[in-house]
Amino acid sequence: MSRRWLSLGMLATTAFSASGALLMTAGCEAEAVSPPDPRIVAFATIPPIAEFARSIAGEFAEVETLIPEGQSPHTFAPTPREITRFSQADAYFALAVGHEPALRAKAAAINPHMRVFDVLIGVSLLDGEPHSHGHTHAPDVLEVGDPHAWLDPQRAKQIAANIASGLSEIDPAHAADYRRKLARLHERLDALDADLRERLRPFAGRTILVFHPAYSYFADAYDLRQLPVEVEGKPPTARQLGALASRVRSEGIRVLFYRPQMDERIASTLATQLGVRPVAWNPLAVNYEQELRAATDAITESFESVSP
């Protein structure tokens, strides 16, 4: 073989080796592990609490919901993957509803360092004194008879303040940011409360008909009375339904509010029997402000259609 062809062969071999090295280097770079996400991983029990947390945390935390929108806290069963993800949380803003205490206990057993914050601290509850339980590493959030306090925007402000306090405790470097965003959220909640109060003031003392008594805090905030169809958590008997129908007629009630987590056919059948219109009102909606305004629309329209 001539010296010329030998030199070309050596050059080709060298070039091929260099190309391979470059490809291997590029491949290694492509497979390089991304730097860890510096954000806090936080969970909240239900969508409206998670939405408050997102408004306060902003870009400094990834906030997820334990019980997704559309699911009932009383029937929700997470997958093993969801339990694993929950157990990776740095912080958990807890509300003891449905099966939540058992789920929280599982996560705490996997990750005992997860900080648990009871969001009802300092909230004036309808079934007792202001909630005074603290936060802890252990899974012992106090259970209350009716936890739906967020349906009153003023009580929701205290829930939001508890979230901001928890975020500041585990991430003090951004405490000023959390306080600033909390102030903006409080302004929104005050504006929402003022609007609802103005619209509902003419109907003080009137009755709203609900399938499940989940709206006590809303009724308390705006001087309304809540009349549940359920009797001790069960559908009414024929006799109870007859008495309820008489009251509905005498008070001119036109709407039955029900949670969308229940079977719509049951709500529709009951509404027909009572001579009212079924309207879904989701107390667990992620679009908190929109849902309260929509419910207020339905309430005011029904009250305006008939004299008490």
Side-chain angles (χ1 to χ4, degrees), residues 206 252 254-255 277 297-306:
R206 298 285 292 273
R254 294 288 182 266
V255 168
R277 177 170 61 93
D297 288 342
I299 291 170
T300 56
E301 288 171 8
S302 69
F303 287 162
E304 288 167 350
S305 67
V306 63

Side-chain angles (χ1 to χ4, degrees), residues 23-42:
L23 287 171
M24 290 178 64
T25 302
C28 290
E29 290 177 353
E31 295 175 2
V33 177
S34 301
D37 191 336
R39 296 179 299 171
I40 295 167
V41 176

Side-chain angles (χ1 to χ4, degrees), residues 29-217:
E29 290 177 353
E31 295 175 2
V33 177
S34 301
D37 191 336
R39 296 179 299 171
I40 295 167
V41 176
F43 267 73
T45 306
I46 56 173
I49 306 302
E51 189 60 19
F52 294 157
R54 291 187 190 101
S55 295
I56 298 166
E59 68 273 25
F60 302 118
E62 180 182 357
V63 181
E64 300 185 33
T65 307
L66 175 61
I67 302 172
E69 187 168 20
Q71 296 282 341
S72 169
H74 302 283
T75 58
F76 173 65
T79 65
R81 177 178 293 183
E82 289 170 330
I83 284 289
T84 299
R85 176 59 177 163
F86 177 37
S87 68
Q88 295 169 347
D90 301 302
Y92 173 46
F93 299 105
L95 191 71
V97 292
H99 298 319
E100 185 275 343
L103 301 179
R104 180 171 11 101
K106 287 183 181 179
I110 299 172
N111 176 15
H113 301 292
M114 179 176 69
R115 299 298 300 273
V116 178
F117 298 93
D118 187 337
V119 299
L120 292 182
I121 297 170
V123 175
S124 177
L125 301 177
L126 294 178
D127 54 358
E129 296 298 320
H131 198 48
S132 59
H133 196 271
H135 62 267
T136 178
H137 289 279
D140 55 345
V141 174
L142 188 64
E143 296 184 49
V144 297
D146 183 356
H148 299 82
W150 65 91
L151 292 179
D152 170 7
Q154 289 303 316
R155 288 179 169 98
K157 287 174 62 178
Q158 180 59 45
I159 291 173
N162 291 335
I163 293 170
S165 176
L167 288 170
S168 298
E169 186 171 322
I170 61 176
D171 182 24
H174 297 114
D177 297 284
Y178 299 139
R179 288 193 298 270
R180 183 166 55 253
K181 291 173 182 177
L182 172 65
R184 288 202 292 265
L185 177 56
H186 276 185
E187 289 176 359
R188 281 170 40 203
L189 291 172
D190 280 334
L192 173 66
D193 179 50
D195 179 43
L196 302 188
R197 193 169 302 281
E198 179 67 22
R199 296 176 62 194
L200 292 168
R201 184 177 291 113
F203 309 108
R206 298 285 292 273
T207 300
I208 56 173
L209 179 67
V210 302
F211 182 83
H212 180 74
Y215 312 96
S216 302
Y217 286 94

